Amino acid sequence: MIEIEVLGNKDTRSGFGEGLLEVGKKNKDVVALCADLTGSLKMDAFQKECSDRFFQVGIAEANMIGMAAGMTVGGKIPYTGTFANFSTGRVYDQIRQAIAYSKKNVKICASHAGLTLGEDGATHQILEDIGMMKMLPNMTVIVPCDFNQTKQATIAIADHKGPVYLRFGRPVMPIFVKPDAQFVIGKADTIIEGSDVTIIACGHLVWKSIEAAKVLEAQGISVELINMHTIKPLDKEAILKSVAKTRCVVTAEEHMINGGLGDSVAQVLIQNDLVPQEFVGVNDSFGESGTPMELMTKYGIDTQNVVDAALKVIQRKK
Amino acid sequence: MDTIELQKIASQVRRDIVRMVSAVNSGHPGGSLGCTDFLTVLYFDQMNHNAANFTMNAINEDVFYLSNGHISPVWYSVLARSGYFPAAELGTFRKLSTRLQGHPSTDKNLPGIRMASGSLGQGLSNALGTCQTKKLNGDKSIVYTLHGDGELQEGQIWEAAMYASANKVDNIISTIDYNGRQIDGDVEDVLSLGNLSQKWQAFGWEVLSVDGHNIDELKAILSKARTMTGNGKPIVIIMKTEMGQGVDYMVGSHKWHGVAPNAQQLEIALNQLEETLGDY
């Protein structure tokens, strides 16, 4: 019987806000920059308590990214904060040249990622950011699954020397990672152990996959669920160890199927242990206005989609 | 440093530039020659820097960012002649596995370089970040930048310009290579900058101007700019220059923006530039 204790309900962006405050108090080299979204990113507490190290840049994301890169010269650890769309697509060239290529110790913290930004619609719902960021050499890409993990990741990345993309979101979701859990970059968490199918998920789809695992369990199917919070560097060992047992994989993410977590997992499987894989993600489409949960259903990244993909992939291995 | 000495260094730097680009039949001699006098004065007379012990963090050192990264030949030559790395390495410019990439990078750890540049319009933002870090660190040093005039067509420059004055970033001295040329022709024809001095003033900057080929004037204006730091306003120097300065057939033409001289043209150029410090 799958038992995952729900510890509460919160948005992952609030985990970022709490983590930033904590790491900022602990490490005086941490500085934060924001492009006119301090409230949305929950950076208010840091702004108030570490005011000399908070930099409001206005609606000028290119300048924010460029400044963050420059702030590392002299030893600071800049955290930039804006929506995921404006953290990546709008400033890709700035990130590419001044952060990734220049190997600067900048933490690009991106909120409101994916469809679950909701009513603002497709202009703001970026579904390509994981792909863009994972393609950049030197970039570490992290997509934590809940409030606690986002907080832990926010704190952990200060100790990782090098560029990091940290992706989180807006909706209130269940909290199930223990508050004292250790976050290790590049080391996946196996949340449920099982034998019939491996589900590898990141971000909000980890909770959806927990729900799916329960549905599948009721049908007599044993799911192994891996929370792949680090997309790059990818924990290949965890993937291969699990598929050795289950012989099939479902990947689940709030992102385009093209260029996301699923692609990265598929590369590992093709080169090492070719087992069937099904992809839960958005299929080459922009989003639209709607509530987060309505959008997840309409665009095929809901609990039922994970269930269906698991049943299909189990059939394929026979 | 004595003006005669600076002129000698500048002559050698110009020789280095034309030899570097000619050797690989690529690179950007025009803007490099146009900024030679400025960078020579900056590195040999003005900046407080430690060539022998380069550190990325530049604590208590002045920092320079080349925002118009395509004029890397002049920067590489000035860095080498300042002692950041052996002048012989200039011979590897743009060749496979070189530390002297076509556009400046930190990727191969070339001493003297703290940020990649080449994609235009970004250096001012980078510099402002370092300015703020220096303030947090209680470091009184200055951050310098150089920008092409065509580069000012990039929007990010003006995001940064707005930020600097609004936040009283007063430990920066930016310079503009105002040669009026860009790849497609005259800046005035491609996309006019209008009244550049008034634009910077309207963005809240102290604006100075100088003849970018008069060493005495360059020394004087940079010294004056330094005395003006710490007064709550960012400073920009508009430097009137000629693309291709020092080589008669290149002067004033955008055609030598990104074209290297052939062997015969190189010989003509070298005959106009005295070898003062020994060729690499």
Side-chain angles (χ1 to χ4, degrees), chain A residues 13 83 112-126 169-172 254 287-296 299:
Chain A
R13 60 178 165 158
F83 289 171
H112 293 56
L115 291 172
T116 54
L117 167 138
E119 294 80 352
D120 278 349
T123 53
H124 288 50
Q125 292 161 345
I126 195 156
R170 172 172 177 254
V172 171
E254 186 181 352
E288 62 179 297
S289 293
T291 68
M293 296 311 139
E294 285 171 348
L295 290 163
M296 292 183 95
Y299 287 88

